[in-house]
Tab-separated table of all heavy atoms in Angstrom:
chain	number	residue	atom	x	y	z
B	672	GLU	N	7.731	-5.080	28.469
B	672	GLU	CA	8.251	-4.089	29.410
B	672	GLU	C	8.007	-4.530	30.833
B	672	GLU	O	8.858	-4.356	31.700
B	672	GLU	CB	7.594	-2.739	29.151
B	672	GLU	CG	8.221	-2.034	27.980
B	672	GLU	CD	7.740	-0.617	27.824
B	672	GLU	OE1	6.762	-0.258	28.506
B	672	GLU	OE2	8.336	0.098	27.043
B	673	GLU	N	6.823	-5.109	31.047
B	673	GLU	CA	6.515	-5.613	32.378
B	673	GLU	C	7.524	-6.690	32.762
B	673	GLU	O	8.066	-6.687	33.860
B	673	GLU	CB	5.094	-6.193	32.368
B	673	GLU	CG	4.574	-6.587	33.726
B	673	GLU	CD	4.451	-5.395	34.652
B	673	GLU	OE1	4.329	-4.265	34.166
B	673	GLU	OE2	4.543	-5.595	35.875
B	674	THR	N	7.731	-7.572	31.774
B	674	THR	CA	8.693	-8.643	32.035
B	674	THR	C	10.077	-8.077	32.302
B	674	THR	O	10.772	-8.497	33.207
B	674	THR	CB	8.766	-9.599	30.832
B	674	THR	OG1	7.456	-9.983	30.478
B	674	THR	CG2	9.606	-10.808	31.131
B	675	ARG	N	10.404	-7.093	31.487
B	675	ARG	CA	11.718	-6.493	31.680
B	675	ARG	C	11.805	-5.813	33.023
B	675	ARG	O	12.831	-5.869	33.707
B	675	ARG	CB	11.978	-5.473	30.575
B	675	ARG	CG	12.674	-6.087	29.401
B	675	ARG	CD	13.043	-5.053	28.413
B	675	ARG	NE	14.040	-4.165	28.981
B	675	ARG	CZ	14.836	-3.403	28.251
B	675	ARG	NH1	14.735	-3.441	26.959
B	675	ARG	NH2	15.707	-2.596	28.797
B	676	ARG	N	10.702	-5.142	33.333
B	676	ARG	CA	10.722	-4.444	34.616
B	676	ARG	C	10.882	-5.457	35.729
B	676	ARG	O	11.696	-5.280	36.637
B	676	ARG	CB	9.422	-3.653	34.779
B	676	ARG	CG	9.458	-2.611	35.866
B	676	ARG	CD	8.152	-1.839	35.922
B	676	ARG	NE	7.030	-2.733	36.119
B	676	ARG	CZ	6.680	-3.233	37.295
B	676	ARG	NH1	7.366	-2.935	38.358
B	676	ARG	NH2	5.633	-4.020	37.394
B	677	LEU	N	10.094	-6.528	35.624
B	677	LEU	CA	10.212	-7.576	36.638
B	677	LEU	C	11.597	-8.200	36.609
B	677	LEU	O	12.191	-8.456	37.650
B	677	LEU	CB	9.153	-8.660	36.401
B	677	LEU	CG	7.729	-8.239	36.761
B	677	LEU	CD1	6.757	-9.314	36.319
B	677	LEU	CD2	7.608	-7.991	38.250
B	678	ALA	N	12.041	-8.437	35.393
B	678	ALA	CA	13.372	-9.025	35.288
B	678	ALA	C	14.403	-8.075	35.866
B	678	ALA	O	15.330	-8.479	36.550
B	678	ALA	CB	13.706	-9.328	33.832
B	679	GLY	N	14.179	-6.811	35.568
B	679	GLY	CA	15.091	-5.822	36.122
B	679	GLY	C	14.997	-5.792	37.627
B	679	GLY	O	16.011	-5.724	38.322
B	680	GLN	N	13.744	-5.857	38.080
B	680	GLN	CA	13.571	-5.904	39.525
B	680	GLN	C	14.243	-7.144	40.102
B	680	GLN	O	14.901	-7.091	41.133
B	680	GLN	CB	12.078	-5.938	39.875
B	680	GLN	CG	11.456	-4.571	39.968
B	680	GLN	CD	10.002	-4.652	40.362
B	680	GLN	OE1	9.457	-5.760	40.483
B	680	GLN	NE2	9.384	-3.519	40.546
B	681	LEU	N	13.991	-8.211	39.394
B	681	LEU	CA	14.602	-9.463	39.842
B	681	LEU	C	16.115	-9.333	39.854
B	681	LEU	O	16.790	-9.732	40.801
B	681	LEU	CB	14.172	-10.592	38.892
B	681	LEU	CG	14.754	-11.949	39.206
B	681	LEU	CD1	14.145	-12.491	40.477
B	681	LEU	CD2	14.509	-12.905	38.060
B	682	ALA	N	16.578	-8.757	38.733
B	682	ALA	CA	18.023	-8.583	38.653
B	682	ALA	C	18.512	-7.713	39.786
B	682	ALA	O	19.532	-7.995	40.411
B	682	ALA	CB	18.391	-7.964	37.311
B	683	GLU	N	17.756	-6.630	39.987
B	683	GLU	CA	18.177	-5.748	41.074
B	683	GLU	C	18.150	-6.474	42.403
B	683	GLU	O	19.058	-6.324	43.229
B	683	GLU	CB	17.249	-4.539	41.136
B	683	GLU	CG	17.737	-3.385	40.295
B	683	GLU	CD	16.913	-2.141	40.535
B	683	GLU	OE1	16.921	-1.684	41.689
B	683	GLU	OE2	16.283	-1.660	39.587
B	684	THR	N	17.075	-7.222	42.576
B	684	THR	CA	16.971	-7.967	43.828
B	684	THR	C	18.126	-8.940	43.980
B	684	THR	O	18.767	-9.013	45.020
B	684	THR	CB	15.648	-8.735	43.863
B	684	THR	OG1	14.595	-7.830	43.554
B	684	THR	CG2	15.421	-9.362	45.223
B	685	LEU	N	18.325	-9.659	42.899
B	685	LEU	CA	19.420	-10.605	42.903
B	685	LEU	C	20.741	-9.900	43.164
B	685	LEU	O	21.568	-10.332	43.965
B	685	LEU	CB	19.501	-11.303	41.548
B	685	LEU	CG	18.906	-12.703	41.464
B	685	LEU	CD1	19.023	-13.222	40.037
B	685	LEU	CD2	19.578	-13.634	42.436
B	686	GLN	N	20.864	-8.822	42.412
B	686	GLN	CA	22.121	-8.088	42.532
B	686	GLN	C	22.318	-7.599	43.961
B	686	GLN	O	23.401	-7.724	44.530
B	686	GLN	CB	22.103	-6.903	41.563
B	686	GLN	CG	23.455	-6.339	41.281
B	686	GLN	CD	24.189	-7.187	40.268
B	686	GLN	OE1	23.840	-8.337	40.030
B	686	GLN	NE2	25.213	-6.623	39.693
B	687	ARG	N	21.219	-7.034	44.469
B	687	ARG	CA	21.348	-6.568	45.842
B	687	ARG	C	21.676	-7.732	46.762
B	687	ARG	O	22.435	-7.616	47.701
B	687	ARG	CB	20.069	-5.887	46.299
B	687	ARG	CG	20.067	-4.389	46.113
B	687	ARG	CD	19.028	-3.770	47.000
B	687	ARG	NE	17.699	-4.265	46.690
B	687	ARG	CZ	16.935	-3.759	45.733
B	687	ARG	NH1	17.370	-2.763	44.993
B	687	ARG	NH2	15.726	-4.250	45.512
B	688	ALA	N	21.067	-8.871	46.467
B	688	ALA	CA	21.339	-10.025	47.300
B	688	ALA	C	22.761	-10.494	47.122
B	688	ALA	O	23.371	-11.034	48.028
B	688	ALA	CB	20.376	-11.152	46.947
B	689	LEU	N	23.225	-10.324	45.926
B	689	LEU	CA	24.535	-10.887	45.642
B	689	LEU	C	25.666	-9.892	45.858
B	689	LEU	O	26.783	-10.282	46.190
B	689	LEU	CB	24.577	-11.365	44.187
B	689	LEU	CG	23.564	-12.457	43.878
B	689	LEU	CD1	23.577	-12.739	42.391
B	689	LEU	CD2	23.884	-13.708	44.652
B	690	LEU	N	25.366	-8.686	45.587
B	690	LEU	CA	26.436	-7.719	45.746
B	690	LEU	C	26.009	-6.734	46.808
B	690	LEU	O	25.006	-6.066	46.666
B	690	LEU	CB	26.687	-6.970	44.428
B	690	LEU	CG	27.269	-7.804	43.306
B	690	LEU	CD1	27.353	-6.967	42.032
B	690	LEU	CD2	28.660	-8.295	43.680
B	691	PRO	N	26.732	-6.651	47.809
B	691	PRO	CA	26.326	-5.755	48.901
B	691	PRO	C	26.305	-4.317	48.414
B	691	PRO	O	27.304	-3.813	47.928
B	691	PRO	CB	27.416	-5.978	49.959
B	691	PRO	CG	28.564	-6.570	49.222
B	691	PRO	CD	28.028	-7.311	48.066
B	692	ALA	N	25.105	-3.740	48.430
B	692	ALA	CA	24.995	-2.360	47.978
B	692	ALA	C	25.765	-1.447	48.910
B	692	ALA	O	26.470	-0.541	48.481
B	692	ALA	CB	23.530	-1.961	47.908
B	693	ASP	N	25.592	-1.713	50.160
B	693	ASP	CA	26.331	-0.903	51.134
B	693	ASP	C	27.373	-1.794	51.791
B	693	ASP	O	27.036	-2.761	52.474
B	693	ASP	CB	25.362	-0.350	52.193
B	693	ASP	CG	24.261	0.462	51.526
B	693	ASP	OD1	24.609	1.309	50.703
B	693	ASP	OD2	23.075	0.198	51.816
B	694	LEU	N	28.534	-1.466	51.484
B	694	LEU	CA	29.595	-2.239	52.122
B	694	LEU	C	29.731	-1.816	53.579
B	694	LEU	O	29.487	-0.659	53.929
B	694	LEU	CB	30.920	-1.986	51.388
B	694	LEU	CG	30.963	-2.560	49.973
B	694	LEU	CD1	32.199	-2.069	49.253
B	694	LEU	CD2	30.945	-4.070	50.005
B	695	PRO	N	30.120	-2.758	54.385
B	695	PRO	CA	30.344	-2.363	55.792
B	695	PRO	C	31.506	-1.377	55.853
B	695	PRO	O	32.463	-1.481	55.080
B	695	PRO	CB	30.689	-3.684	56.477
B	695	PRO	CG	31.167	-4.580	55.396
B	695	PRO	CD	30.474	-4.168	54.140
B	696	GLN	N	31.352	-0.428	56.705
B	696	GLN	CA	32.459	0.510	56.946
B	696	GLN	C	32.919	0.302	58.385
B	696	GLN	O	32.523	1.029	59.302
B	696	GLN	CB	31.993	1.953	56.730
B	696	GLN	CG	31.491	2.250	55.340
B	696	GLN	CD	32.565	2.039	54.271
B	696	GLN	OE1	33.770	2.205	54.545
B	696	GLN	NE2	32.146	1.648	53.088
B	697	PRO	N	33.693	-0.766	58.583
B	697	PRO	CA	34.111	-1.042	59.967
B	697	PRO	C	35.137	-0.011	60.433
B	697	PRO	O	35.687	0.730	59.615
B	697	PRO	CB	34.740	-2.447	59.866
B	697	PRO	CG	34.825	-2.805	58.431
B	697	PRO	CD	34.265	-1.686	57.614
B	698	PRO	N	35.378	0.029	61.651
B	698	PRO	CA	36.330	1.006	62.159
B	698	PRO	C	37.692	0.810	61.531
B	698	PRO	O	38.101	-0.307	61.217
B	698	PRO	CB	36.363	0.711	63.661
B	698	PRO	CG	35.106	-0.014	63.954
B	698	PRO	CD	34.723	-0.743	62.723
B	699	PHE	N	38.370	1.912	61.331
B	699	PHE	CA	39.734	1.960	60.808
B	699	PHE	C	39.842	1.413	59.397
B	699	PHE	O	40.933	1.123	58.904
B	699	PHE	CB	40.719	1.196	61.733
B	699	PHE	CG	40.519	1.567	63.162
B	699	PHE	CD1	39.951	0.661	64.057
B	699	PHE	CD2	40.872	2.828	63.634
B	699	PHE	CE1	39.754	1.011	65.384
B	699	PHE	CE2	40.653	3.177	64.957
B	699	PHE	CZ	40.103	2.261	65.839
B	700	THR	N	38.718	1.282	58.741
B	700	THR	CA	38.708	0.705	57.398
B	700	THR	C	37.849	1.567	56.483
B	700	THR	O	36.839	2.129	56.921
B	700	THR	CB	38.101	-0.712	57.402
B	700	THR	OG1	38.540	-1.388	58.564
B	700	THR	CG2	38.508	-1.474	56.170
B	701	ALA	N	38.280	1.694	55.267
B	701	ALA	CA	37.402	2.291	54.248
B	701	ALA	C	37.352	1.311	53.091
B	701	ALA	O	38.389	0.865	52.602
B	701	ALA	CB	37.941	3.640	53.798
B	702	VAL	N	36.158	0.955	52.718
B	702	VAL	CA	35.987	-0.037	51.642
B	702	VAL	C	35.112	0.576	50.557
B	702	VAL	O	34.115	1.234	50.855
B	702	VAL	CB	35.283	-1.313	52.155
B	702	VAL	CG1	35.310	-2.372	51.067
B	702	VAL	CG2	35.936	-1.800	53.416
B	703	ALA	N	35.491	0.326	49.350
B	703	ALA	CA	34.623	0.713	48.227
B	703	ALA	C	34.770	-0.330	47.135
B	703	ALA	O	35.824	-0.965	47.035
B	703	ALA	CB	34.987	2.089	47.692
Side-chain angles (χ1 to χ4, degrees):
Chain B
E672 280 189 349
E673 188 63 24
T674 310
R675 269 186 66 160
R676 195 178 57 80
L677 287 173
Q680 274 182 356
L681 179 70
E683 269 188 61
T684 309
L685 259 178
Q686 198 79 342
R687 266 200 300 275
L689 299 173
L690 292 175
D693 303 311
L694 292 171
Q696 300 299 330
F699 313 109
T700 321
V702 188

